[in-house]
Amino acid sequence: MATPRSVFAHHIVGNTAAYGPADWEKDIKLAKAAGIDAFALNIAAQTDYTDAQLANAYGAAESIGFKLFLSFDYAAQGPFSTSAVIALLQRHAKSPAQFKVNGASFVSTFEGLDNSDDWRTIRASVPIYFLPDWTSKGPEVFRKSMLDVVDGAFSWDAWPQGASNKTDTSDKLWQTALGNKAYMMPVSPWFYANRPDKNWLWRGDGMWHERWQQVLEVQPNFVEVRNDPLGLERLPIPKQWLLIDSMILTPASGQQIITWNDYGESHYIGPLTNASGIPKGSHQYVDNMPHDHWLDILPYYIAAYKSGTAPAVHTDKAQVWYRLSPAAAGSSGGTVGNAPWEPLINANAVVQDEVFFTALVKEPSTVSLQIGSNAADTFQVASAGLFHSSVPFKGRTGRVTLAVSRNGEAAIPAVTGPAIVDRVFAHALNTVKRIPRTGSARPPSSDRLKLYGLYKQSMEGNVEGVMRRPPDDVPDTEGTRAEREKWDAWRAQSGLSRTAAKRAYISTLITTMHQYASSTPEAKELVAELEFVWDQIKANSNNTSHESSPRGEMTGGEERLGMSYASLGDSRGRRTRDEEGGGGGLRVLRPVSDRDQEEEYDEDGYDDENDQRVREEPNSETDPARARDLDFCNRKWRKRIESALIRTSTEVAALREQIESKGIGRRHKYRKGSGEWAWIRWLIWAAMRQLLFDAVILGLAYVLAKRKGDQRIEQGLWLVMQAVKEHLREVRLRGWRLRGIRY
């Protein structure tokens, strides 16, 4: 039986081919813990593993005490036959896990309007409570022609159009059209896809919180949370955000979240259980981008919806999500704003250059958010409960730190996410992505260590203020030899300003690339361009930038991520839910891939393990294994030298920006120093220019009128001249009278 209000999550069975019973149990336990009442199992007509996975799902749900219902997807692989629908519904109707309303099996669809009459036959064969998604017809057409077939409706209209936020207008239209029938409302955090079959985004930056507030206003019977692939990939996104989908139902009192596992549209809130479930073309913005921290605060939203009042808060929690660069940075990847059947707009107008956060606090608190070394934005949360807000980039760059404090002490340990970078930096990263992956020789470790030391010095300053040197008495088997070498290389650059270290890094890297980088025409062209720009700026003083420039706060791994928007959005931090204990605490939902961070090389490409292995093993000419290792190292260095090119482009672009800023500053200083007389001269010049322009226009009009025999302009000019003469005469008389009084 349905509870007064229920929340469902849309689960794509088509993404579960590799699932076993344990995978279903994991999903169901997570959903149940978050307060979700049932999965809407999206199934297609022609999938050969559907029956097996439905059996696994219902078996797991029965053992855990969870509910399921079928959602027939008529758009994925064509329509279902009436007999097939009836057979599936009858097969699972007796399961204790079947979600029912008044004894009838709850059932839904994704589209299927052309087969709407089939449901009259289906209803006659099996008791059902039917809420289809026939959104494409619209609520008014649905009201006029569909109400006798259904018990209610489910809307898929979960995202806004264009550069505006989602409202509850469409939900209220559906409620009005349905009258006393049930409405299931959709809730989703965002949508982004960049695949061959779909490449668009809808705004969703802060929608997860906003949509749940609308649920409280609309009060639908049901809510469905949809799990879809991140249609958010707009993000050239600078392309990576954290995603979730939700939906809601009305008369039976429920909602549906869109979605649990639709990875290709980026709105999944469930875990990345198996890579085989990620649609082709979606890996670039889904791999290692878990969104399941959306589940942390979801119980609060659901409890508020079901009870109608704000529930008590027992654990402080917070989340933060943002893109790594402004929307206009880099390439759009062909992504457009809105779907093809809607008016298309520039994707940059859809996304918002802001850092979004939500804090759930059990007592009045202070929330602060800081970007780089800039002043923090502080918010006072006056009472216990949920607080959501955002902070615009406003040109600020650097790492993002979110802190929640109470009475001067940390309520949640502050967390720092990856750096936001300026658009010049992001553009350079996007350009370097085109470098061909061709062979390169591996520089000696001394060169790589020097680059490492210069990079760390330019990014973080002196090593003494950051970390201690690994002790000498720890065995090398624990990897401490390499750590000591890197620490020493960093220490060797101590005392250099960040700007000086950047200059030395660029110069050293260019020299290294000439000797070891790939020799393709594309790589040569890039190095030549870097040299040209470097020649223009290396004579500048070392004081062209501030030592605390936020540009120096991004790590190598984050730089790689910044160029993949897939960098549009946010995913969660590195820690798993188990590592975090599953309880409260601060969550970083950010566009950082765990895999990328793990594969990140130490800024200069220093790899102590492989370097030591190659040094110690036999000669490659006589040992095949040695030759394979050398080839492995060369291939690995090839990848790393290309990443070094990324850093070089970045540093040069940043220095070029500093030069331009300095030039602008000089022009401003010159204008400011020229004083009031300069402004007076400029005003006089502007007035004279305007008078000259008016005289030319009037002269042309006079000549044209003369040719046509029109005397009006001539008469007008004569009247003006007479008025001017009279005025001048009055001025002279007034002057004489004044002189007479004076004398």
Side-chain angles (χ1 to χ4, degrees):
M1 295 293 293
T3 59
R5 294 172 183 168
S6 302
V7 177
F8 313 133
H10 201 79
H11 200 299
I12 310 297
V13 177
N15 290 342
T16 65
Y19 264 40
D23 297 312
W24 282 105
E25 290 178 4
K26 177 183 178 182
D27 281 1
I28 289 171
K29 288 178 180 179
L30 284 173
K32 186 175 182 179
I36 295 170
D37 298 293
F39 278 151
L41 299 177
N42 177 293
I43 56 175
Q46 307 298 325
T47 306
D48 55 8
Y49 52 83
T50 295
D51 289 344
Q53 290 303 336
L54 288 179
N56 287 337
Y58 273 92
E62 290 170 5
S63 65
I64 295 171
F66 192 69
K67 300 297 182 181
L68 308 171
F69 65 86
L70 299 180
S71 177
F72 294 88
D73 191 333
Y74 283 76
Q77 297 173 355
F80 292 80
S81 67
T82 302
S83 59
V85 173
I86 293 172
L88 282 169
L89 291 173
Q90 289 177 338
R91 182 183 309 164
H92 300 290
K94 296 180 180 180
S95 170
Q98 177 63 46
F99 189 88
K100 295 183 178 182
V101 176
N102 299 326
S105 296
F106 195 101
V107 60
S108 186
T109 72
F110 180 74
E111 288 303 318
L113 273 168
D114 294 339
N115 299 85
S116 58
D117 286 340
D118 293 354
W119 289 93
R120 302 180 191 277
T121 303
I122 296 169
R123 299 193 73 112
S125 303
V126 58
I128 61 173
Y129 189 83
F130 185 42
L131 275 76
D133 158 41
W134 291 339
T135 310
S136 57
K137 279 294 184 184
E140 189 59 24
V141 174
F142 193 98
R143 180 185 66 83
K144 293 178 179 179
S145 58
M146 308 283 183
L147 286 183
D148 63 325
V149 185
V150 304
D151 297 288
F154 170 41
S155 169
W156 201 260
D157 188 4
W159 305 276
Q161 226 187 80
S164 59
N165 295 330
K166 176 65 177 172
T167 70
D168 59 7
T169 300
S170 62
D171 304 298
K172 292 179 177 178
L173 289 174
W174 275 103
Q175 280 187 319
T176 301
L178 290 169
N180 62 354
K181 290 183 179 287
Y183 174 57
M184 182 159 64
M185 178 178 171
V187 178
S188 177
W190 44 44
F191 182 104
Y192 168 76
N194 189 345
R195 307 186 334 230
D197 60 324
K198 61 178 68 175
N199 189 1
W200 75 83
L201 68 99
W202 283 307
R203 172 172 288 185
D205 304 275
M207 191 168 65
W208 182 242
H209 173 81
E210 296 162 0
R211 195 67 173 139
W212 279 104
Q213 300 308 303
Q214 292 167 12
V215 167
L216 300 180
E217 172 68 22
V218 174
Q219 290 294 305
N221 303 90
F222 303 95
V223 175
E224 181 173 328
V225 180
R226 294 175 49 194
N227 297 306
D228 258 28
L230 229 177
L232 246 197
E233 294 224 352
R234 58 185 194 196
L235 254 213
I237 204 196
K239 301 180 182 184
Q240 289 164 287
W241 286 87
L242 163 65
L243 307 172
I244 296 185
D245 260 333
S246 288
M247 286 188 165
I248 303 176
L249 283 176
T250 303
S253 295
Q255 307 176 17
Q256 185 167 330
I257 298 174
I258 307 174
T259 60
W260 183 265
N261 65 331
D262 192 343
Y263 309 109
E265 293 176 0
S266 308
H267 43 72
Y268 53 96
I269 63 172
L272 295 168
T273 301
N274 195 297
S276 65
I278 300 174
K280 185 178 181 180
S282 304
H283 286 271
Q284 59 178 332
Y285 54 92
V286 176
D287 283 350
N288 304 297
M289 300 296 291
H291 298 161
D292 38 316
H293 268 316
W294 284 124
L295 299 173
D296 292 346
I297 296 180
L298 183 58
Y300 182 89
Y301 290 122
I302 293 176
Y305 160 66
K306 289 184 175 181
S307 68
T309 60
V313 179
H314 303 290
T315 304
D316 295 304
K317 298 179 181 180
Q319 297 173 324
V320 57
W321 62 98
Y322 54 97
R323 288 176 288 108
L324 292 184
S325 58
S331 167
S332 68
T335 302
V336 295
N338 291 340
W341 57 86
E342 300 170 329
L344 301 182
I345 66 172
N346 191 312
N348 295 340
V350 177
V351 298
Q352 297 171 279
D353 292 341
E354 299 180 27
V355 178
F356 295 85
F357 66 91
T358 302
L360 183 63
V361 297
K362 58 186 181 182
E363 296 177 24
S365 306
T366 299
V367 180
S368 64
L369 191 143
Q370 183 178 24
I371 302 176
S373 59
N374 302 282
D377 290 85
T378 303
F379 304 84
Q380 299 299 327
V381 184
S383 60
L386 205 62
F387 179 80
H388 173 81
S389 190
S390 62
V391 173
F393 289 1
K394 289 185 177 178
R396 292 176 289 184
T397 59
R399 290 182 176 274
V400 174
T401 300
L402 181 68
V404 179
S405 61
R406 187 177 302 124
N407 301 323
E409 298 182 357
I412 303 174
V415 66
T416 299
I420 297 171
V421 298
D422 57 63
R423 55 186 299 180
V424 175
F425 187 101
H427 181 74
L429 295 177
N430 191 68
T431 301
V432 176
K433 289 171 62 179
R434 298 193 297 269
I435 297 175
R437 296 183 175 277
T438 54
S440 302
R442 181 179 172 87
S445 61
S446 58
D447 289 357
R448 291 180 278 122
L449 282 168
K450 182 178 180 180
L451 286 170
Y452 173 85
L454 288 169
Y455 182 88
K456 297 295 286 185
Q457 184 69 19
S458 67
M459 296 296 103
E460 302 183 47
N462 294 337
V463 66
E464 291 90 341
V466 178
M467 60 181 293
R468 296 180 179 179
R469 187 179 189 274
D472 293 320
D473 56 352
V474 178
D476 288 345
T477 55
E478 298 183 17
T480 54
R481 177 191 61 81
E483 294 302 318
R484 286 194 295 268
E485 289 179 355
K486 290 188 285 185
W487 193 95
D488 292 339
W490 187 355
R491 175 66 178 79
Q493 309 303 330
S494 291
L496 282 179
S497 69
R498 292 191 180 189
T499 299
K502 287 180 180 180
R503 292 163 62 86
Y505 178 86
I506 294 172
S507 179
T508 302
L509 187 54
I510 288 176
T511 301
T512 304
M513 287 192 297
H514 270 299
Q515 187 172 358
Y516 300 103
S518 73
S519 58
T520 63
E522 293 86 350
K524 286 183 177 179
E525 183 178 353
L526 177 60
V527 175
E529 179 184 350
L530 296 177
E531 283 190 298
F532 173 78
V533 177
W534 180 238
D535 288 341
Q536 309 304 310
I537 64 176
K538 63 184 178 182
N540 289 338
S541 69
N542 290 338
N543 298 320
T544 56
S545 67
H546 296 291
E547 291 301 310
S548 61
S549 170
R551 292 190 190 97
E553 298 180 305
M554 172 174 268
T555 67
E558 290 151 5
E559 291 177 20
R560 281 206 310 279
L561 287 168
M563 67 182 180
S564 68
Y565 197 29
S567 307
L568 199 143
D570 296 16
S571 72
R572 41 171 291 216
R574 300 187 190 186
R575 296 176 296 169
T576 65
R577 295 176 63 84
D578 291 337
E579 290 170 341
E580 292 159 347
L586 199 61
R587 310 302 190 214
V588 182
L589 309 180
R590 57 194 177 104
V592 175
S593 160
D594 292 347
R595 178 184 298 173
D596 282 346
Q597 286 189 336
E598 292 168 2
E599 292 180 354
E600 167 192 349
Y601 73 93
D602 295 315
E603 289 79 17
D604 66 322
Y606 182 75
D607 184 339
D608 53 282
E609 179 182 352
N610 289 317
D611 190 60
Q612 181 179 11
R613 184 175 65 183
V614 172
R615 279 202 308 268
E616 295 175 354
E617 288 187 357
N619 188 285
S620 62
E621 296 180 358
T622 59
D623 191 332
R626 164 72 169 173
R628 284 194 301 271
D629 285 335
L630 283 173
D631 179 64
F632 170 79
C633 291
N634 283 335
R635 283 187 282 110
K636 202 165 185 181
W637 171 249
R638 179 174 65 241
K639 178 179 179 181
R640 292 171 177 177
I641 198 66
E642 289 165 355
S643 296
L645 292 174
I646 292 176
R647 289 181 172 79
T648 303
S649 292
T650 295
E651 299 298 334
V652 171
L655 287 170
R656 178 191 295 174
E657 184 184 55
Q658 293 166 10
I659 292 174
E660 294 172 351
S661 299
K662 186 175 180 181
I664 293 172
R666 286 173 175 168
R667 290 193 295 272
H668 173 71
K669 182 178 179 181
Y670 172 77
R671 174 173 288 181
K672 182 178 179 181
S674 57
E676 296 178 356
W677 284 109
W679 288 106
I680 293 173
R681 289 195 297 270
W682 180 83
L683 288 172
I684 294 173
W685 174 81
M688 294 299 295
R689 182 183 61 179
Q690 187 63 38
L691 287 173
L692 179 61
F693 177 78
D694 292 342
V696 171
I697 296 298
L698 186 59
L700 292 174
Y702 177 76
V703 171
L704 182 61
K706 196 75 172 175
R707 286 187 176 182
K708 292 184 176 182
D710 192 338
Q711 301 296 320
R712 287 177 298 177
I713 293 181
E714 186 175 359
Q715 292 172 358
L717 288 174
W718 184 84
L719 292 173
V720 170
M721 292 299 296
Q722 292 300 317
V724 170
K725 288 179 181 180
E726 186 64 27
H727 180 70
L728 292 175
R729 185 181 299 110
E730 288 293 329
V731 170
R732 285 198 298 271
L733 289 173
R734 192 176 295 117
W736 292 334
R737 286 195 292 270
L738 288 173
R739 283 196 294 272
I741 294 172
R742 186 178 302 118
Y743 294 116

